[in-house]
Amino acid sequence: QGERLKRGETTAPTVNIQDPIAVEMVRAIHADIEALQRAGPDSASLAFARGLKAFTRSEYSDALREFTIAAEAGLEEAVEAMFVVDLQYKAVPVEEALRRLDQAVERDRGYLPFLEARSRLHAIAAVKGRDRAVEYLAKAIADLDTALLLMPSRRIARIERARLLINRAQLEMI
């Protein structure tokens, strides 16, 4: 399989997927990525495509490297993809993921997915770093406050904010 990958051939994912629909979806993703590569788009899009391909093969460090290249070129979708890898597959320590999210929020303060992702990551950090839990929860709540100022109708942010406020109140009572 390694030689086939080097030649850029579409292959089944390396994870053991039993669902034929899922296998077909992954094959379709790989075919789309290869078509994109043949079309010769900009380097950020190519890096993003290579990152997606690596991600579908469970090659998370390769995916993160390619997403980083695309993100540094300004592709916002790549920044989001990096956080998926960071959060779901723990490819980097929480503090590093927070640093990346801080940079993303600085670049685009009005982009709600960055604020919400940083809020979630602060909430995770609160659980991991109990000595700083109140501080992390305050930061998580502040990000959701900002998101709700930008879009008051954002229900998921409102629900998550309420949950975090309850968690903070419980911590302060201890």
Side-chain angles (χ1 to χ4, degrees), residues 6-68:
K6 287 179 187 174
R7 290 192 307 266
E9 292 179 24
T10 302
T11 61
T14 57
V15 292
N16 185 11
I17 298 176
Q18 300 299 319
D19 182 354
I21 295 172
V23 170
E24 186 52 39
M25 287 175 51
V26 170
R27 284 191 180 131
I29 290 168
H30 289 196
D32 288 347
I33 291 167
E34 288 170 2
L36 180 64
Q37 289 173 326
R38 284 190 301 275
D42 62 279
S43 60
S45 295
L46 282 174
F48 185 70
R50 286 189 302 268
L52 287 174
K53 197 171 195 179
F55 186 81
T56 64
R57 293 183 171 135
S58 302
E59 298 166 354
Y60 303 120
S61 60
D62 291 344
L64 193 57
R65 182 188 67 245
E66 296 295 341
F67 291 150
T68 301

Side-chain angles (χ1 to χ4, degrees), residues 69-97:
I69 292 168
E72 288 172 353
L75 194 63
E76 295 296 332
E77 295 87 346
V79 177
E80 285 183 72
M82 286 171 55
F83 300 128
V84 170
V85 175
D86 286 348
L87 293 173
Q88 292 185 1
Y89 301 97
K90 298 177 177 75
V92 298
V94 171
E95 289 299 326
E96 174 63 16

Side-chain angles (χ1 to χ4, degrees), residues 77-133:
E77 295 87 346
V79 177
E80 285 183 72
M82 286 171 55
F83 300 128
V84 170
V85 175
D86 286 348
L87 293 173
Q88 292 185 1
Y89 301 97
K90 298 177 177 75
V92 298
V94 171
E95 289 299 326
E96 174 63 16
L98 277 170
R99 186 186 66 73
R100 291 178 185 178
L101 271 167
D102 288 343
Q103 291 172 345
V105 170
E106 285 300 313
R107 277 196 310 267
D108 192 347
R109 292 187 175 275
Y111 191 60
L112 298 182
F114 289 163
L115 290 167
E116 292 167 341
R118 189 170 69 177
S119 175
R120 283 191 303 277
L121 195 52
H122 276 121
I124 290 168
V127 172
K128 290 184 175 201
R130 293 206 178 272
D131 56 327
R132 296 177 56 197

Side-chain angles (χ1 to χ4, degrees), residues 141-154:
I141 292 165
D143 280 338
L144 293 175
D145 286 343
T146 302
L148 289 167
L149 282 173
L150 296 169
M151 185 179 278
S153 63
R154 188 105 167 166

